[in-house]
Amino acid sequence: MESKDSKVQAPVAPKPAAKPMAQKIADAEKISKVRGIKNAFIVILVCAAAAVCIFLFAMGAPGNFEGGDTNNHPLNLAGTVYKGGFIVPILMTLLLTVIVLSVERWIAISSAQGKGNTTKFVTDVKLLLAQNKIDEAMNRCRQQKGSVASVVYNTLVKYKELDANHTLSKEQKLTTLRNEVEEATALEMPSLSQNLPIIATLTTLGTLVGLLGTVMGMIKSFQALAASGSPDSTELSTGISEALVNTAFGIATGAFAVISYNFFTNKIDNLTYAIDEIGFSIVATFAATHEG
């Protein structure tokens, strides 16, 4: 008989290597949760479909024109806008895109600011750093959340690692800490500025498309004036309507895009200034509390 000890035991799978402490903390806690639309092309397509539907079925409804015919004079503002021609749905697409992306950026940047006032958060963390209360500062980051808190939290994790490191010199530690601030900031910035280049592009594009519609409307008007005999009043008014409607839409799109872009750029700049300020405080605190 075979003894029990002679039984072949199944091989034991090796245990996975333990993650570094910083990676464990990063996996367990997500300080920054910036919400946003990743693919703006889908937004443009949806806005284009909505603009075409509004143009054809709402503004082009028979009740907006004399005798129920779109070739006749308009009876209200919707009919007048319809007379702006095929450029109108293009401009409506651009305007709707600016509005949707502006709302999206508002939600994203609001979530990036965290749960409380950013200025108060920076003041609180600087006070805790002055007292060398690193753990309390990390807890304050967990409460605040947002992009600034995420950068500060990751930097403080590196701070504690360097604090326990006795191999590197003080200058090497300070350089590593500065690099951590820059790296954490670089990871947060793309999510904040996402879709803003599209809004900036629509600033100029909306104005140019509106100008194109204006020129085309004026061409129609002059063609009506140049007709033999008495000018066709219907064609003349159609051309003028097209020019003015496209001008109004182009100006509205460009103005709204400029306001939106500058507003959100200023918000991002304020967050960047807060990160720079608190990052400098962390490095200064490490330099003051550690000997060379």
Side-chain angles (χ1 to χ4, degrees):
M1 294 179 62
E2 295 182 355
S3 62
K4 294 181 179 179
D5 296 337
S6 63
K7 292 182 179 179
V8 178
Q9 297 181 350
V12 179
K15 295 182 178 180
K19 292 183 178 181
M21 181 59 66
Q23 185 63 39
K24 287 182 179 180
I25 296 175
D27 290 343
E29 302 182 58
K30 299 296 183 182
I31 300 298
S32 178
K33 295 181 180 179
V34 179
R35 303 176 182 88
I37 298 174
K38 302 299 181 183
N39 193 347
F41 183 70
I42 297 177
V43 174
I44 296 174
L45 290 180
V46 173
C47 290
V52 171
C53 290
I54 293 172
F55 179 75
L56 293 177
F57 302 114
M59 297 178 177
N64 296 329
F65 303 90
E66 293 180 354
D69 187 355
T70 56
N71 294 319
N72 295 334
H73 288 289
L75 297 175
N76 50 37
L77 180 61
T80 302
V81 174
Y82 182 83
K83 287 293 186 179
F86 72 94
I87 296 291
V88 172
I90 298 176
L91 288 168
M92 289 177 63
T93 299
L94 300 181
L95 181 59
L96 289 175
T97 301
V98 171
I99 294 173
V100 172
L101 292 182
S102 296
V103 173
E104 180 266 343
R105 281 297 86 195
W106 173 271
I107 297 173
I109 294 178
S110 295
S111 64
Q113 290 177 331
K115 293 184 176 180
N117 184 272
T118 303
T119 304
K120 186 177 185 304
F121 167 72
V122 171
T123 303
D124 292 344
V125 173
K126 288 175 68 175
L127 181 61
L128 293 171
L129 289 174
Q131 299 172 4
N132 201 26
K133 296 180 178 179
I134 305 302
D135 291 330
E136 287 82 351
M138 294 177 70
N139 289 331
R140 183 69 179 86
C141 292
R142 295 188 189 98
Q143 296 172 3
Q144 175 72 14
K145 298 187 180 300
S147 295
V148 179
S150 177
V151 173
V152 176
Y153 186 87
N154 292 332
T155 306
L156 291 177
V157 170
K158 179 62 68 174
Y159 186 107
K160 295 188 71 173
E161 283 186 358
L162 294 174
D163 195 24
N165 188 308
H166 303 292
T167 304
L168 299 176
S169 65
K170 180 179 178 180
E171 288 302 321
Q172 289 175 322
K173 291 180 180 180
L174 291 175
T175 301
T176 303
L177 202 56
R178 293 190 190 97
N179 292 338
E180 179 64 26
V181 175
E182 294 176 0
E183 180 181 346
T185 304
L187 291 174
E188 291 293 331
M189 285 301 106
S191 61
L192 296 178
S193 59
Q194 182 179 348
N195 294 330
L196 281 183
I198 297 176
I199 296 178
T201 302
L202 295 179
T203 300
T204 305
L205 186 60
T207 305
L208 292 178
V209 174
L211 180 60
L212 174 63
T214 302
V215 173
M216 293 181 66
M218 295 307 298
I219 290 174
K220 285 185 178 181
S221 298
F222 284 114
Q223 285 178 339
L225 288 174
S228 59
S230 61
D232 188 341
S233 61
T234 301
E235 288 294 327
L236 181 61
S237 63
T238 299
I240 295 174
S241 295
E242 181 174 340
L244 295 178
V245 166
N246 289 321
T247 301
F249 264 108
I251 292 174
T253 302
F256 195 83
V258 167
I259 294 172
S260 175
Y261 180 79
N262 289 334
F263 177 79
F264 292 119
T265 300
N266 182 63
K267 288 276 188 182
I268 294 172
D269 287 342
N270 290 337
L271 292 176
T272 304
Y273 296 151
I275 291 173
D276 292 340
E277 180 182 357
I278 204 166
F280 177 80
S281 297
I282 293 173
V283 175
T285 299
F286 190 93
T289 56
H290 293 74
E291 297 181 358

